Amino acid sequence: MKSYSYINRAIIFFKTIAAGTPFLAFILLSAFLKPQSEETLQSAAPFPIGAAVNPFLLQTDSAYRRVVETEFNSITSENVLKWAAVHPAENKFDFSKGDTLAEFALSHHIRFHGHNLCWYQYNPKWLSSFKGDSAAWERLFKTHIQTVVSHYKGKVASWDVVNEAFHNDGTLRSEKNTPDNKPDDGCIWARNLGIDYIARAFQYAHEADPDALLFYNDYDQEIYPGKLRSIINMVNYFKKRGVPINGIGIQMHINILTPKDGITNAIKQLANTGLKIHIAELDISVNPRNDPNIIYSDSLQNLQSSLFAFVVQQYKLLVPKEQQYGITTWNVGDADSWIRPTYKKKDWPLLFDDSYAKKPVYYAFINALKN
Ligand code: 9MR
């Protein structure tokens, strides 16, 4: 019925009455009056479409919730499963907010992607004052990963096991003094566990839930060839050693000036590893130069639309079907994007506006998913 226009259906309805089959006519009349089911991102896409979700907004903002319910068939925990949120004291785990997301995903029959088990950021204060020898650090690390993964066994389909382990120049984050010269840029895990902590994180997660798919996730792989190379080398080395890694997250926090050939190159090379590819945190900033007087003009929206469509086209073209884990946007609407508070700037990086209405870029994105 979906493809019939109202006029076609009306003609069939009247012809049926004329043919004297009132019951059939009644059925057709119901279909005639029923509003046609609207297309959504999840119904249009040949792979899962996700969003990073905040359980507080899910519970308190009905417009936000409606969009998540109708448009997406995968959710990622934005912050609530990071160390500082889920492991607030050495002997205390808090799963309450993660459980809200798990229940939402289960009751809506959608996928729940867990983010993340290990990162250099968003760690609790108590962790920086933790004292212990290398065995104590290892125990802490393993206990965290296995407690969290076991709690969500059968509820979380996949995990970002390690997040952002490399600097942009391709060296591993470890020491406090870093090539980016940011004092907080080193990685507590590499310092205390040695550089092979990444492989062990995957092993620990796999032991706790052998069915969960395990991802390495990082940003700016489309911008920095050295970083991309290091990630690919690590993944290939892990595959050779039998480390249980299933996928790579390309975060894809890009902007309207991001060169397209970098996007193509990253997707192509990462897909060549044979692992599942998740565009895991997509958003497109329209204000990369931080202009305080910027207006979200039609021409900016057109640039943004064509880049959203380009990302989808490249993903469909370059990632073999069985490796397409899906595309996830980082947040739902412009109002809840991390970009505004982080950079204190005006921006409109997502598919839905501040009131969670569809923007013109939404239509560019959905058309690219379909075609
Ligand atoms: O969106 C997240 C924001 O609310 C947090 O304050 C921030 C903490 O550093 O993390 C943001 O999410 C990041 C994600 O976990 C990893 N990739 C980059 C994302 C944007 O910073």
Side-chain angles (χ1 to χ4, degrees):
M1 266 303 166
K2 206 174 159 198
S3 59
Y4 284 139
S5 71
Y6 276 76
I7 292 172
N8 280 340
R9 278 183 283 159
I11 291 170
I12 293 169
F13 170 64
F14 288 115
K15 277 187 180 164
T16 313
I17 292 196
T21 48
F23 179 66
L24 194 55
F26 173 74
I27 304 264
L28 285 166
L29 179 62
S30 320
F32 178 61
L33 294 175
K34 204 170 120 204
Q36 292 196 313
S37 67
E38 233 190 281
E39 190 168 55
T40 62
L41 297 176
Q42 55 163 310
S43 72
F47 40 73
I49 295 291
V53 170
N54 171 335
F56 176 74
L57 290 175
L58 202 58
Q59 287 172 320
T60 56
D61 187 324
S62 57
Y64 178 95
R65 187 181 176 94
R66 198 167 332 111
V67 169
V68 178
E69 276 174 339
T70 52
E71 298 287 344
F72 299 102
N73 52 2
S74 175
I75 57 170
T76 299
S77 48
E78 182 187 13
N79 288 319
V80 298
L81 295 183
K82 293 173 181 171
W83 267 76
V86 80
H87 200 163
E90 191 178 335
N91 295 311
K92 184 176 174 220
F93 286 86
D94 177 0
F95 293 116
S96 54
K97 300 190 180 73
D99 287 356
T100 301
L101 295 182
E103 279 152 25
F104 179 85
L106 274 180
S107 63
H108 290 79
H109 311 289
I110 63 172
R111 184 174 77 191
F112 185 11
H113 179 71
H115 174 88
N116 56 51
L117 297 170
C118 166
W119 192 19
Y120 74 101
Q121 275 190 32
Y122 219 92
N123 287 317
K125 283 217 169 59
W126 64 265
L127 190 64
S128 37
S129 45
F130 180 78
K131 298 266 178 298
D133 58 11
S134 62
W137 272 99
E138 193 70 29
R139 220 167 23 247
L140 174 70
F141 183 64
K142 180 176 179 180
T143 303
H144 174 90
I145 292 175
Q146 299 204 325
T147 306
V148 176
V149 173
S150 304
H151 181 86
Y152 290 106
K153 191 172 181 330
K155 294 178 179 163
V156 162
S158 47
W159 286 98
D160 288 329
V161 177
V162 177
N163 196 40
E164 304 174 6
F166 291 94
H167 294 293
N168 287 340
D169 70 354
T171 56
L172 202 69
R173 286 180 199 280
S174 61
E175 297 310 321
K176 277 196 168 135
N177 296 323
T178 71
D180 302 338
N181 249 340
K182 291 189 202 149
D184 62 347
D185 234 14
C187 176
I188 194 166
W189 304 116
R191 279 202 299 277
N192 291 290
L193 302 170
I195 59 168
D196 209 34
Y197 79 95
I198 305 177
R200 296 203 300 283
F202 280 87
Q203 265 142 4
Y204 295 150
H206 183 66
E207 282 165 23
D209 184 357
D211 295 328
L213 296 174
L214 306 180
F215 284 70
Y216 174 78
N217 187 46
D218 216 325
Y219 63 90
D220 279 358
Q221 300 178 76
E222 56 288 336
I223 310 282
Y224 297 104
K227 187 176 203 174
L228 178 64
R229 183 57 19 224
S230 294
I231 292 169
I232 291 169
N233 289 344
M234 175 188 74
V235 162
N236 288 334
Y237 179 51
F238 281 4
K239 281 172 58 189
K240 223 162 57 199
R241 283 169 63 191
V243 174
I245 181 167
N246 305 100
I248 305 170
I250 313 178
Q251 293 188 5
M252 202 71 83
H253 293 291
I254 56 177
N255 67 69
I256 48 168
L257 304 176
T258 301
K260 287 184 170 170
D261 55 352
I263 296 173
T264 303
N265 180 47
I267 296 178
K268 195 189 284 174
Q269 291 205 44
L270 290 163
N272 276 344
T273 62
L275 295 192
K276 295 194 184 301
I277 302 296
H278 184 197
I279 293 193
E281 305 189 9
L282 177 63
D283 48 28
I284 303 182
S285 161
V286 294
N287 189 10
R289 299 211 170 97
N290 215 340
D291 173 0
N293 302 314
I294 194 166
I295 288 165
Y296 193 32
S297 61
D298 286 351
S299 70
L300 277 184
Q301 298 197 46
N302 288 341
L303 275 175
Q304 190 188 31
S305 288
S306 74
L307 198 52
F308 263 117
F310 180 77
V311 170
V312 173
Q313 285 151 6
Q314 295 296 289
Y315 185 76
K316 287 168 75 172
L317 187 71
L318 301 170
V319 181
K321 271 212 165 326
E322 61 284 4
Q323 287 172 253
Q324 293 176 352
Y325 201 62
I327 299 184
T328 293
T329 61
W330 204 247
N331 305 114
V332 177
D334 291 335
D336 57 297
S337 167
W338 66 285
I339 290 180
R340 290 182 185 173
T342 304
Y343 300 110
K344 300 190 177 36
K345 65 171 180 176
K346 291 187 183 171
D347 219 322
W348 300 268
L350 289 162
L351 305 173
F352 299 90
D353 69 13
D354 283 33
S355 320
Y356 300 108
K358 295 169 188 170
K359 291 165 40 176
V361 288
Y362 170 97
Y363 296 100
F365 188 78
I366 201 168
N367 281 334
L369 288 172
K370 282 191 302 189
N371 299 319

Coordinates of all heavy atoms in Angstrom, one line a residue, residues 46-105:
P46 N 20.6 1.2 4.8 CA 20.9 -0.2 4.7 C 21.8 -0.8 5.8 O 22.2 -1.9 5.8 CB 21.7 -0.3 3.3 CG 22.3 1.1 3.2 CD 21.4 2.0 3.9
F47 N 22.1 0.0 6.8 CA 22.9 -0.4 7.9 C 22.4 0.4 9.2 O 21.7 1.4 9.0 CB 24.4 -0.1 7.7 CG 24.7 1.2 7.0 CD1 24.5 2.4 7.7 CD2 25.1 1.2 5.7 CE1 24.8 3.6 7.0 CE2 25.3 2.4 5.0 CZ 25.2 3.6 5.7
P48 N 22.8 0.0 10.4 CA 22.3 0.7 11.5 C 22.7 2.2 11.6 O 23.8 2.6 11.2 CB 22.9 0.0 12.7 CG 23.2 -1.4 12.2 CD 23.6 -1.2 10.8
I49 N 21.8 3.0 12.1 CA 22.0 4.5 12.2 C 21.8 4.8 13.7 O 20.8 4.5 14.3 CB 21.0 5.3 11.4 CG1 21.2 5.0 9.9 CG2 21.1 6.8 11.7 CD1 22.5 5.6 9.3
G50 N 22.9 5.4 14.2 CA 22.9 5.6 15.7 C 23.1 7.1 16.1 O 23.3 7.9 15.3
A51 N 22.9 7.3 17.4 CA 23.3 8.6 18.0 C 23.9 8.4 19.4 O 23.5 7.4 20.0 CB 22.0 9.4 18.1
A52 N 24.7 9.3 19.8 CA 25.2 9.3 21.2 C 24.1 9.8 22.0 O 23.6 10.9 21.7 CB 26.5 10.1 21.3
V53 N 23.7 9.1 23.0 CA 22.5 9.5 23.8 C 22.9 9.7 25.2 O 23.7 9.1 25.9 CB 21.5 8.3 23.6 CG1 20.3 8.5 24.6 CG2 21.0 8.3 22.2
N54 N 22.1 10.7 25.8 CA 22.2 11.1 27.1 C 21.0 10.7 27.9 O 19.9 11.1 27.5 CB 22.4 12.7 27.1 CG 22.3 13.3 28.4 OD1 21.7 12.8 29.4 ND2 22.9 14.5 28.5
P55 N 21.1 9.8 28.9 CA 19.9 9.3 29.5 C 19.0 10.3 30.2 O 17.8 10.2 30.3 CB 20.4 8.2 30.5 CG 21.8 8.6 30.7 CD 22.3 9.2 29.4
F56 N 19.6 11.4 30.7 CA 18.9 12.4 31.3 C 17.9 13.1 30.3 O 16.7 13.3 30.6 CB 19.8 13.5 32.0 CG 19.1 14.6 32.6 CD1 18.5 14.5 33.8 CD2 19.1 15.9 32.0 CE1 17.8 15.5 34.4 CE2 18.4 16.9 32.5 CZ 17.7 16.8 33.7
L57 N 18.4 13.4 29.2 CA 17.6 14.0 28.1 C 16.5 13.1 27.7 O 15.4 13.5 27.4 CB 18.4 14.5 26.9 CG 19.3 15.7 27.2 CD1 20.2 16.0 26.0 CD2 18.5 16.9 27.6
L58 N 16.9 11.8 27.6 CA 15.9 10.8 27.2 C 14.7 10.7 28.2 O 13.6 10.5 27.8 CB 16.6 9.4 27.2 CG 16.1 8.3 26.4 CD1 16.0 8.7 24.9 CD2 17.0 7.1 26.5
Q59 N 15.0 11.0 29.4 CA 13.9 10.9 30.4 C 13.2 12.2 30.6 O 12.1 12.2 31.1 CB 14.5 10.5 31.8 CG 14.9 9.0 31.8 CD 15.7 8.6 33.0 OE1 16.5 9.4 33.5 NE2 15.4 7.4 33.6
T60 N 13.8 13.3 30.2 CA 13.2 14.6 30.6 C 12.7 15.4 29.4 O 11.9 16.4 29.6 CB 14.2 15.5 31.4 OG1 15.4 15.6 30.6 CG2 14.5 14.9 32.7
D61 N 13.2 15.1 28.2 CA 12.8 15.9 27.0 C 12.1 15.1 26.0 O 12.6 14.2 25.4 CB 14.1 16.5 26.4 CG 13.8 17.5 25.3 OD1 12.8 17.3 24.6 OD2 14.6 18.5 25.2
S62 N 10.8 15.3 25.9 CA 9.9 14.4 25.1 C 10.3 14.5 23.6 O 10.2 13.6 22.9 CB 8.5 14.7 25.3 OG 8.2 16.0 25.1
A63 N 10.7 15.7 23.2 CA 11.0 15.9 21.7 C 12.3 15.1 21.4 O 12.4 14.4 20.4 CB 11.2 17.4 21.4
Y64 N 13.3 15.2 22.3 CA 14.5 14.4 22.2 C 14.2 12.9 22.1 O 14.7 12.2 21.2 CB 15.4 14.7 23.4 CG 16.7 14.0 23.5 CD1 17.9 14.7 23.0 CD2 16.9 12.8 24.1 CE1 19.1 14.0 23.1 CE2 18.1 12.2 24.2 CZ 19.2 12.8 23.7 OH 20.5 12.2 23.8
R65 N 13.4 12.5 23.1 CA 13.1 11.1 23.1 C 12.4 10.6 21.9 O 12.7 9.5 21.3 CB 12.2 10.8 24.4 CG 12.0 9.3 24.6 CD 11.1 9.1 25.8 NE 10.8 7.7 26.0 CZ 11.5 6.8 26.7 NH1 12.5 7.3 27.5 NH2 11.2 5.6 26.8
R66 N 11.4 11.4 21.4 CA 10.7 11.0 20.2 C 11.6 10.8 19.0 O 11.5 9.8 18.2 CB 9.6 12.0 19.8 CG 8.6 11.5 18.9 CD 7.3 12.4 18.8 NE 7.1 13.2 20.0 CZ 7.2 14.5 20.1 NH1 7.6 15.2 19.1 NH2 7.0 15.1 21.2
V67 N 12.6 11.7 18.9 CA 13.6 11.6 17.7 C 14.4 10.3 17.9 O 14.6 9.6 17.0 CB 14.5 12.8 17.6 CG1 15.6 12.6 16.7 CG2 13.7 14.0 17.2
V68 N 14.9 10.1 19.1 CA 15.7 8.9 19.3 C 14.9 7.6 19.0 O 15.3 6.7 18.4 CB 16.3 8.8 20.8 CG1 17.1 7.5 21.0 CG2 17.2 10.0 21.0
E69 N 13.6 7.6 19.5 CA 12.8 6.5 19.3 C 12.4 6.2 17.8 O 12.4 5.0 17.4 CB 11.4 6.7 20.0 CG 11.5 6.3 21.5 CD 10.2 6.6 22.2 OE1 9.4 7.4 21.8 OE2 10.0 6.0 23.3
T70 N 12.2 7.3 17.1 CA 11.8 7.0 15.7 C 12.9 6.9 14.7 O 12.8 6.1 13.8 CB 10.8 8.2 15.2 OG1 11.5 9.4 15.5 CG2 9.5 8.1 16.0
E71 N 14.0 7.7 14.9 CA 15.0 7.8 13.8 C 16.1 6.8 13.9 O 16.7 6.5 12.9 CB 15.6 9.2 13.8 CG 14.6 10.3 13.6 CD 14.1 10.4 12.1 OE1 14.8 9.8 11.2 OE2 13.1 11.0 11.8
F72 N 16.4 6.4 15.1 CA 17.7 5.6 15.3 C 17.4 4.1 15.7 O 16.5 3.8 16.4 CB 18.6 6.3 16.3 CG 19.0 7.7 15.9 CD1 18.3 8.8 16.5 CD2 20.0 7.9 15.0 CE1 18.7 10.1 16.1 CE2 20.3 9.2 14.6 CZ 19.7 10.3 15.2
N73 N 18.3 3.2 15.2 CA 18.2 1.8 15.6 C 19.5 1.4 16.3 O 19.8 0.2 16.3 CB 17.7 0.9 14.5 CG 18.6 1.0 13.3 OD1 19.5 1.8 13.2 ND2 18.2 0.3 12.2
S74 N 20.3 2.4 16.7 CA 21.5 2.1 17.5 C 21.7 3.3 18.4 O 21.5 4.4 18.0 CB 22.7 1.9 16.6 OG 23.9 1.7 17.3
I75 N 22.1 3.0 19.7 CA 22.5 4.1 20.5 C 23.9 3.8 21.1 O 24.3 2.7 21.3 CB 21.5 4.4 21.7 CG1 21.3 3.2 22.6 CG2 20.2 4.9 21.1 CD1 20.5 3.4 23.8
T76 N 24.6 4.9 21.3 CA 25.9 4.9 22.0 C 25.8 5.7 23.3 O 25.1 6.7 23.3 CB 27.0 5.5 21.1 OG1 27.1 4.7 19.9 CG2 28.4 5.4 21.8
S77 N 26.4 5.1 24.4 CA 26.4 5.9 25.6 C 27.4 7.1 25.4 O 28.5 6.8 25.2 CB 26.8 5.0 26.8 OG 28.0 4.3 26.4
E78 N 26.9 8.3 25.6 CA 27.8 9.4 25.3 C 28.8 9.5 26.5 O 30.0 9.5 26.2 CB 27.0 10.8 25.3 CG 28.0 11.9 25.0 CD 27.3 13.3 25.1 OE1 26.1 13.4 25.6 OE2 27.9 14.3 24.7
N79 N 28.4 9.5 27.7 CA 29.3 9.7 28.8 C 29.2 8.7 30.0 O 30.1 8.5 30.7 CB 29.2 11.1 29.4 CG 29.7 12.2 28.5 OD1 30.8 12.0 27.9 ND2 29.0 13.3 28.4
V80 N 28.0 8.1 30.1 CA 27.7 7.4 31.4 C 28.4 6.1 31.6 O 28.3 5.6 32.7 CB 26.1 7.2 31.5 CG1 25.4 8.5 31.6 CG2 25.6 6.3 30.4
L81 N 29.1 5.6 30.6 CA 29.9 4.4 30.8 C 31.4 4.7 30.9 O 32.2 3.7 31.0 CB 29.5 3.3 29.8 CG 28.1 2.7 29.9 CD1 27.9 1.6 28.9 CD2 27.8 2.2 31.3
K82 N 31.7 5.9 30.8 CA 33.1 6.3 31.0 C 33.5 6.1 32.4 O 32.7 6.1 33.3 CB 33.4 7.7 30.5 CG 33.2 7.9 29.0 CD 33.2 9.4 28.6 CE 33.0 9.6 27.2 NZ 32.8 11.0 26.8
W83 N 34.8 5.9 32.6 CA 35.3 5.6 34.0 C 34.8 6.5 35.1 O 34.2 6.0 36.1 CB 36.9 5.7 34.0 CG 37.6 4.4 33.8 CD1 37.7 3.8 32.6 CD2 38.3 3.6 34.7 NE1 38.5 2.6 32.7 CE2 38.8 2.5 34.0 CE3 38.5 3.7 36.1 CZ2 39.6 1.5 34.7 CZ3 39.2 2.7 36.7 CH2 39.8 1.6 36.0
A84 N 34.8 7.8 34.9 CA 34.5 8.7 36.0 C 33.0 8.5 36.3 O 32.6 8.8 37.5 CB 34.8 10.1 35.6
A85 N 32.2 8.1 35.3 CA 30.7 8.0 35.6 C 30.4 6.7 36.2 O 29.6 6.6 37.1 CB 30.0 8.2 34.3
V86 N 31.0 5.6 35.7 CA 30.6 4.3 36.1 C 31.4 3.7 37.3 O 30.9 2.8 37.9 CB 30.6 3.4 34.8 CG1 32.0 2.9 34.6 CG2 29.6 2.2 34.9
H87 N 32.5 4.3 37.5 CA 33.4 3.8 38.6 C 33.8 5.0 39.5 O 35.0 5.3 39.5 CB 34.6 3.2 37.9 CG 35.4 2.2 38.7 ND1 36.2 1.3 38.2 CD2 35.4 2.0 40.1 CE1 36.8 0.6 39.2 NE2 36.3 1.0 40.3
P88 N 32.9 5.6 40.2 CA 33.1 6.8 40.9 C 34.1 6.7 42.1 O 34.6 7.7 42.6 CB 31.8 7.3 41.3 CG 30.9 6.1 41.4 CD 31.5 5.2 40.3
A89 N 34.2 5.5 42.7 CA 35.2 5.3 43.8 C 35.8 4.0 43.6 O 35.2 3.1 42.9 CB 34.5 5.4 45.1
E90 N 37.0 3.8 44.2 CA 37.7 2.5 43.9 C 36.9 1.3 44.0 O 37.0 0.4 43.2 CB 39.0 2.5 44.8 CG 39.9 1.4 44.3 CD 41.2 1.3 45.2 OE1 41.6 2.3 45.8 OE2 41.8 0.2 45.2
N91 N 36.0 1.2 45.1 CA 35.2 0.0 45.3 C 33.8 0.2 45.0 O 32.9 -0.4 45.5 CB 35.4 -0.5 46.7 CG 36.9 -0.9 46.9 OD1 37.4 -1.7 46.1 ND2 37.5 -0.4 48.0
K92 N 33.5 1.2 44.1 CA 32.1 1.4 43.8 C 31.8 1.6 42.3 O 32.5 2.4 41.6 CB 31.7 2.7 44.5 CG 30.2 3.0 44.4 CD 29.8 4.3 45.1 CE 28.4 4.5 44.8 NZ 28.1 5.9 44.6
F93 N 30.9 0.8 41.8 CA 30.4 1.0 40.4 C 29.0 1.6 40.4 O 28.2 1.2 41.3 CB 30.4 -0.3 39.7 CG 31.8 -0.8 39.3 CD1 32.6 -1.5 40.2 CD2 32.4 -0.5 38.1 CE1 33.9 -1.9 39.9 CE2 33.7 -0.9 37.8 CZ 34.4 -1.6 38.7
D94 N 28.7 2.4 39.5 CA 27.3 3.0 39.4 C 26.8 2.8 38.0 O 27.2 3.5 37.0 CB 27.4 4.5 39.7 CG 26.0 5.2 39.6 OD1 25.1 4.5 39.2 OD2 25.9 6.4 39.7
F95 N 25.9 1.8 37.9 CA 25.4 1.4 36.6 C 24.0 2.1 36.3 O 23.4 1.7 35.3 CB 25.2 -0.1 36.5 CG 26.6 -0.8 36.5 CD1 26.9 -1.7 37.6 CD2 27.5 -0.6 35.5 CE1 28.1 -2.4 37.6 CE2 28.7 -1.3 35.5 CZ 29.0 -2.2 36.6
S96 N 23.6 2.9 37.2 CA 22.2 3.4 37.1 C 21.9 4.0 35.8 O 20.9 3.7 35.1 CB 21.8 4.3 38.3 OG 22.8 5.3 38.3
K97 N 22.8 4.9 35.3 CA 22.5 5.7 34.1 C 22.7 4.8 32.9 O 21.9 4.9 31.9 CB 23.3 6.9 34.0 CG 23.0 7.8 35.2 CD 23.7 9.2 35.0 CE 23.4 10.1 36.2 NZ 24.2 9.7 37.4
G98 N 23.7 4.0 32.9 CA 23.9 3.0 31.8 C 22.8 2.1 31.7 O 22.3 1.7 30.6
D99 N 22.2 1.7 32.8 CA 21.0 0.7 32.8 C 19.8 1.4 32.1 O 19.0 0.7 31.5 CB 20.7 0.3 34.2 CG 21.7 -0.7 34.8 OD1 22.7 -1.1 34.0 OD2 21.6 -1.1 36.0
T100 N 19.7 2.7 32.3 CA 18.5 3.4 31.7 C 18.7 3.2 30.1 O 17.7 2.9 29.4 CB 18.6 4.9 32.0 OG1 18.5 5.0 33.4 CG2 17.5 5.7 31.3
L101 N 19.9 3.4 29.7 CA 20.1 3.2 28.2 C 19.9 1.8 27.8 O 19.3 1.5 26.7 CB 21.5 3.7 27.8 CG 21.8 5.2 28.0 CD1 23.2 5.6 27.5 CD2 20.8 6.1 27.2
A102 N 20.4 0.8 28.6 CA 20.3 -0.6 28.2 C 18.8 -1.0 28.2 O 18.4 -1.7 27.2 CB 21.0 -1.4 29.2
E103 N 18.0 -0.5 29.1 CA 16.6 -0.8 29.1 C 15.9 -0.2 27.9 O 15.0 -0.8 27.3 CB 15.9 -0.4 30.4 CG 16.2 -1.3 31.6 CD 16.1 -0.6 32.9 OE1 15.5 0.4 33.1 OE2 16.8 -1.2 33.8
F104 N 16.3 1.0 27.6 CA 15.7 1.7 26.4 C 16.0 0.9 25.2 O 15.1 0.6 24.4 CB 16.2 3.1 26.3 CG 15.7 3.9 25.1 CD1 14.5 4.5 25.2 CD2 16.4 3.9 23.9 CE1 14.0 5.2 24.1 CE2 15.9 4.6 22.8 CZ 14.7 5.2 22.9
A105 N 17.2 0.5 25.0 CA 17.6 -0.2 23.8 C 16.9 -1.6 23.8 O 16.4 -2.0 22.7 CB 19.2 -0.5 23.8

